[in-house]
Amino acid sequence: MSNQMWGGRFQSGPDAIMEDINASIEFDKALWRQDIAGSKAHVAMLGKQGIIEAKDAEEIAKGLDKVAQEIESGTFTFSRALEDIHMNIESRLADLIGAAAGRLHTARSRNDQVATDMRLWVRDTLDALDLQMADLQHALAEKALDYADAVMPGFTHLQSAQPVTFGHHLLAYVEMIGRDRGRVKDARKRMNENPLGAAALAGTSFPIDRAMTAKTLGFDRPTANSLDSVSDRDFVLEALSAASICAMHLSRFAEEIVIWTTPQFGLVALSDKFTTGSSIMPQKRNPDAAELVRAKSGRIIGALTSLLIVMKGLPLTYAKDMQEDKEGTFDALSSLSLCLAAMSGMVRDMTPDRKAMKKAAGSGYATATDLADWLVRTLKMPFRNAHHVTGKIVGLAAAKKIGLEKLTLAEMQSVEPKISADVFTVLGVEKSVRSRVSFGGTAPSNVKREARRWLSLLKRKAS
Ligand code: ARG
């Protein structure tokens, strides 16, 4: 049997393999809410414009509500022979209300229909992701306030560089997630236009009101060019690109959690809630959630590259290739949602070890820059000379296998006679971080202020 929706000029049905490659219902059924919302907006507009009779419009709207109930309650039977969500819904509508159902597809095509459904889905999903990102920022800022003065090693090249505070480190991620949210907001704003009414590609001869359907569906305005309306998937790409950058940030943080929680680093502990044990090594506590957040960035970034590749060779306008935008996008955005939830959970669950952090902060001569700065400030030495003198003093301490603050004044003076006992006021890790009061610096006073600023900003947005 040929397809009941478009099979007029077909004598036989598709080959089984054709059905396999063509059907999208298994994944695009996720769009059912959006599809019904789009159809209801369309049919209300058709009725109001007198394109179809008011009683048909009413019957169709009621029928669509009934279909929605069936899908919601799980009694709806999805059919692969009907290819996709659009035709599954329309066919069921015909079962329920009869001939009037055939009028729903007036002045529209599956091309503008799917573009509309997908925009609605991506838009609503971005809104939900933004809330989760805000929640992660909140978890980070709260922990940052609690640990505003906890000294830890700051790294470059993963080598001890200078002491920083744990709160400062967490606030770095609050900034990153803040930019991620900015990208989501931009993408949302740009995509919030209504493609419905572009029809197959050229627009329609019926007197439709696209501003009306735009308003009903919460779009800011109708899209301006019918060809662009059905062939544009920029909005999916922008969402995936914002998601990829966010996933990359989460992956970096996850990598840090993996490092910090190894017994060799031992800077942070996770509880039973976000770790797993080993079936053979009883001592193990593995940071699986962090590892999976790190790994899932792969499929999120993969969805972006995959869709870029699908789109780059397509002549205008619609081509079936574009059906491939869905599985990757659904998977990527739901993976990101899971990663954000896991990250917020881990941040709230983690216990930094203040003592271990402080000890590690002092290792690797992390206060050498403080010594060099002291030479510049107190002895008015040019920084390059101070760097050289400090290097020599570090060499002396390293040869004795002791910290800089453990050297005697006489030992330091053997390198630079003008050094006075005042130098010891800058050599501890706590003194070091307290001195970093420059704007954006790691001083606990800065960190407290910033954490509080973020917390009140986040609270204000939520209310
Ligand atoms: N399932 C299709 C998709 O996702 C719907 C649009 C089909 N349009 C068409 N002209 N075959 O892209």
Side-chain angles (χ1 to χ4, degrees):
M1 205 186 72
S2 68
N3 187 294
Q4 54 173 291
M5 296 289 156
W6 47 249
R9 64 161 289 186
F10 287 67
Q11 252 104 59
S12 75
D15 190 275
I17 305 282
M18 179 58 198
E19 197 174 287
D20 282 347
I21 196 167
N22 200 33
S24 54
I25 187 62
E26 262 124 60
F27 48 87
D28 68 16
K29 59 165 87 135
L31 296 172
W32 72 267
R33 282 177 205 282
Q34 289 74 16
D35 198 70
I36 285 181
S39 288
K40 284 188 74 176
H42 184 64
V43 82
M45 182 278 293
L46 292 179
K48 164 144 176 298
Q49 296 296 98
I51 299 168
I52 65 172
E53 281 181 31
K55 77 165 189 357
D56 285 340
E58 254 168 59
E59 234 185 293
I60 294 172
K62 271 198 215 132
L64 286 167
D65 285 338
K66 179 89 204 342
V67 175
Q69 272 168 22
E70 291 182 1
I71 302 179
E72 182 100 68
S73 64
T75 57
F76 190 97
T77 323
F78 291 99
S79 148
R80 253 161 59 96
L82 287 164
E83 280 181 42
D84 58 24
I85 188 63
H86 323 297
M87 294 199 292
N88 267 270
I89 289 177
E90 201 186 316
S91 159
R92 181 63 186 143
L93 184 69
D95 295 345
L96 290 170
I97 68 164
R103 302 194 185 277
L104 169 60
H105 215 51
T106 314
R108 128 182 136 168
S109 140
R110 270 191 296 155
N111 297 349
D112 59 338
Q113 193 179 351
V114 75
T116 305
D117 291 4
M118 200 59 184
R119 275 191 199 238
L120 290 172
W121 189 91
V122 172
R123 183 188 73 188
D124 296 349
T125 305
L126 287 184
D127 288 345
L129 286 170
D130 182 64
L131 288 179
Q132 286 191 281
M133 291 182 196
D135 182 57
L136 174 56
Q137 284 186 303
H138 198 271
L140 287 161
E142 273 191 326
K143 212 33 47 136
L145 190 57
D146 289 347
Y147 291 87
D149 58 355
V151 185
M152 72 175 277
F155 301 97
T156 59
H157 314 266
L158 197 56
Q159 308 281 324
S160 283
Q162 290 174 2
V164 296
T165 66
F166 189 63
H168 197 51
H169 196 108
L170 295 183
L171 288 182
Y173 284 98
V174 175
E175 294 290 331
M176 291 177 237
I177 306 298
R179 293 194 296 277
D180 292 333
R181 293 180 68 195
R183 274 179 281 272
V184 163
K185 215 167 135 208
D186 286 350
R188 188 202 197 280
K189 192 159 179 259
R190 215 171 353 262
M191 69 170 283
N192 201 29
E193 295 186 340
N194 182 25
L196 192 60
L201 76 164
T204 174
S205 55
F206 291 100
I208 58 171
D209 182 350
R210 296 187 59 210
M212 177 181 168
T213 50
K215 191 153 176 249
T216 315
L217 296 169
F219 288 119
D220 295 330
R221 65 191 79 83
T223 49
N225 179 298
S226 63
L227 302 176
D228 182 43
S229 309
V230 295
S231 56
D232 164 36
R233 291 296 180 273
D234 293 7
F235 65 96
V236 185
L237 290 168
E238 283 198 52
L240 289 174
S241 120
S244 293
I245 296 176
C246 179
M248 173 276 290
H249 288 146
L250 299 185
S251 178
R252 294 182 76 173
F253 191 27
E255 167 69 2
E256 295 193 314
I257 293 175
V258 170
I259 293 172
W260 292 340
T261 55
T262 59
Q264 286 74 11
F265 267 73
L267 301 182
V268 163
L270 289 172
S271 81
D272 298 357
K273 286 198 213 162
F274 286 93
T275 52
T276 62
S278 154
S279 51
I280 177 167
M281 297 164 284
Q283 85 284 8
K284 297 257 296 190
R285 181 190 281 285
N286 297 326
D288 293 33
E291 292 169 297
L292 287 164
V293 167
R294 186 174 59 186
K296 280 185 194 295
S297 60
R299 56 210 276 178
I300 298 169
I301 297 164
L304 170 63
T305 54
S306 150
L307 185 58
L308 282 169
I309 294 165
V310 166
M311 294 305 296
K312 76 175 182 60
L314 299 187
L316 301 189
T317 55
Y318 179 84
K320 200 58 170 268
D321 308 52
M322 288 160 76
Q323 177 165 287
E324 287 289 309
D325 64 350
K326 294 182 191 61
E327 283 164 291
T329 305
F330 295 162
D331 178 76
L333 299 190
S334 70
S335 296
L336 182 62
S337 166
L338 189 55
C339 290
L340 285 163
M343 262 307 176
S344 300
M346 276 188 280
V347 170
R348 294 195 166 101
D349 181 59
M350 64 170 59
T351 318
D353 183 336
R354 285 177 185 269
K355 258 174 119 183
M357 280 185 170
K358 191 178 164 191
K359 189 157 173 259
S363 70
Y365 301 103
T367 54
T369 315
D370 297 280
L371 173 55
D373 287 350
W374 184 88
L375 295 170
V376 169
R377 215 171 27 242
T378 315
L379 304 185
K380 309 285 176 238
M381 225 181 241
F383 183 77
R384 285 288 158 224
N385 302 11
H387 185 282
H388 188 74
V389 168
T390 305
K392 284 197 159 168
I393 296 175
V394 167
L396 205 64
K400 304 190 105 182
K401 294 195 171 37
I402 56 173
L404 280 180
E405 71 288 355
K406 297 274 150 50
L407 287 171
T408 64
L409 183 58
E411 281 167 330
M412 293 206 206
Q413 286 172 338
S414 72
V415 178
E416 170 50 63
K418 291 203 210 83
I419 293 179
S420 69
D422 180 65
V423 74
F424 292 106
T425 61
V426 301
L427 288 184
V429 288
E430 250 140 15
K431 288 173 194 144
S432 168
V433 294
R434 250 185 275 132
S435 73
R436 300 277 194 266
V437 288
S438 57
F439 184 80
T442 195
S445 53
N446 278 3
V447 174
K448 267 181 211 143
R449 196 180 52 240
E450 273 301 289
R452 288 200 182 107
R453 183 179 71 80
W454 271 111
L455 286 170
S456 80
L457 205 68
L458 290 162
K459 197 157 73 203
R460 235 178 299 135
K461 276 208 182 135
S463 57

